[in-house]
Amino acid sequence: MSEPLKIAYSPCPNDTFVFDAWAHGRVPGAPALDVTFADIDITNGMAERGEFDVLKVSYAVLPWVLEEYALLPCGGALGRGCGPLVLTRDGGSAADLAGKTVAVPSERSTAYLLFRLWAATEVPGGVGEVVVLPFHEIMPAVRDGKVDAGLVIHEARFTYQDYGLACLADMGEHWESTTGLPIPLGAIIAKRSLGAARLRELAEAARTSVRMAWDDPLVSRPYVLEHAQEMDPAVADQHIGLYVNEFTAGLGEAGYAAVRGLLTRAAAEGLVPPLGRDALAFP
């Protein structure tokens, strides 16, 4: 029997929902998984160091890792109305961020890339210092005045008002209004050295795992809530509803266009290395 595949993804509800069936051996014929949980900033670094067979990473990190890893056409997070938010204690306008300190979840995150594209046109003179914090520490830091603003992702969309915070801008709204494309957030990648046949097998396993979760959502619930950091079950359900959608089952034409659009635009601004012509192609 072959060794389990080493995989790392976040403890967030969308990832545990997607991978529940596969991680627990319920996907027929799928390879066994050795799961490590890690925040997206950590998995991005793991990918750059080539440490795992399969990883959930930010789409923004792809230009640095696609030589060693292939993008799987399913299992990730794209969507509409689900983009990162810029939060402050008292709202305000984009111009108010000029020279201010902003906390972000990762310098290689898609959220930060969307933020940089937005700030380039909306914040005259640019922001001041950027501080990287684990995403669950960002809202308390804004609330407590440790930073002027925070760029938040995931379930923070549903909970920021509990911290007395206000939304200054929605990065996803800006992206969708300027491109018409869905928002590319998190990708599933796997080592090219596994070979084309194995990569196709992994993609099918991920696709089957998410479909099994949709068919009977209650089965994944214990796994989701066990890792959801004391999250309210209703918030976990909202999180899954927003980030697990048709693009999770298959990127499709619109999904690939969104990924290409983001990375091409970012490369044109000098924010990421340019993609090779076939970098996103799946075997």
Side-chain angles (χ1 to χ4, degrees):
M1 187 173 173
S2 59
E3 287 285 307
L5 282 171
K6 287 174 67 66
I7 186 171
Y9 49 83
S10 84
C12 296
N14 60 311
D15 287 347
T16 47
F17 181 83
V18 165
F19 286 104
D20 172 63
W22 189 1
H24 292 97
R26 299 197 307 273
V27 176
L33 297 179
D34 176 5
V35 178
T36 294
F37 289 103
D39 191 65
I40 195 79
D41 190 38
I42 304 296
T43 60
N44 286 344
M46 290 170 169
E48 292 188 72
R49 295 187 296 273
E51 290 178 354
F52 280 67
D53 300 311
V54 186
L55 288 152
K56 166 77 175 285
V57 297
S58 301
Y59 273 108
V61 86
L62 292 190
W64 285 275
V65 303
L66 283 177
E67 197 167 305
E68 186 167 359
Y69 288 91
L71 170 64
L72 265 59
C74 53
L78 295 87
R80 296 188 183 276
C82 63
L85 305 178
V86 178
L87 304 179
T88 61
R89 286 182 294 285
D90 49 11
S93 67
D96 297 331
L97 288 185
K100 298 294 176 63
T101 301
V102 183
V104 303
S106 166
E107 290 187 323
R108 289 275 168 90
S109 66
T110 312
Y112 184 46
L113 194 54
L114 289 166
F115 174 78
R116 290 175 82 186
L117 291 170
W118 169 80
T121 59
E122 302 296 320
V123 183
V127 302
E129 187 184 359
V130 168
V131 179
V132 176
L133 293 176
F135 80 88
H136 61 276
E137 293 181 16
I138 291 177
M139 289 191 291
V142 179
R143 178 195 63 201
D144 298 342
K146 294 176 181 174
V147 294
D148 299 307
L151 180 68
V152 300
I153 52 177
H154 301 325
E155 67 280 353
R157 290 188 70 88
F158 314 118
T159 59
Y160 70 86
Q161 287 160 326
D162 298 343
Y163 290 80
L165 302 180
C167 178
L168 183 143
D170 185 326
M171 303 297 93
E173 199 174 87
H174 180 260
W175 169 258
E176 290 184 70
S177 67
T178 54
T179 68
L181 295 167
I183 307 152
L185 297 168
I188 306 298
I189 56 173
K191 280 197 171 172
R192 295 184 185 276
S193 59
L194 293 168
R198 188 67 150 170
L199 288 171
R200 288 193 292 271
E201 181 186 20
L202 299 185
E204 190 51 42
R207 193 176 287 114
T208 300
S209 189
V210 71
R211 286 179 175 152
M212 290 175 74
W214 277 331
D215 286 346
D216 194 349
L218 289 180
V219 174
S220 66
R221 200 163 184 78
Y223 189 53
V224 168
L225 294 180
E226 176 191 348
H227 296 285
Q229 297 180 336
E230 300 179 18
M231 190 187 299
D232 183 287
V235 173
D237 288 343
Q238 284 179 292
H239 182 114
I240 291 164
L242 193 59
Y243 296 109
V244 185
N245 52 43
E246 72 270 21
F247 297 111
T248 312
L251 280 172
E253 200 172 308
Y256 276 109
V259 178
R260 259 193 308 273
L262 174 68
L263 298 179
T264 301
R265 191 170 163 188
E269 296 286 338
L271 303 179
V272 302
L275 284 180
R277 192 178 65 177
D278 299 319
L280 299 179
F282 186 69

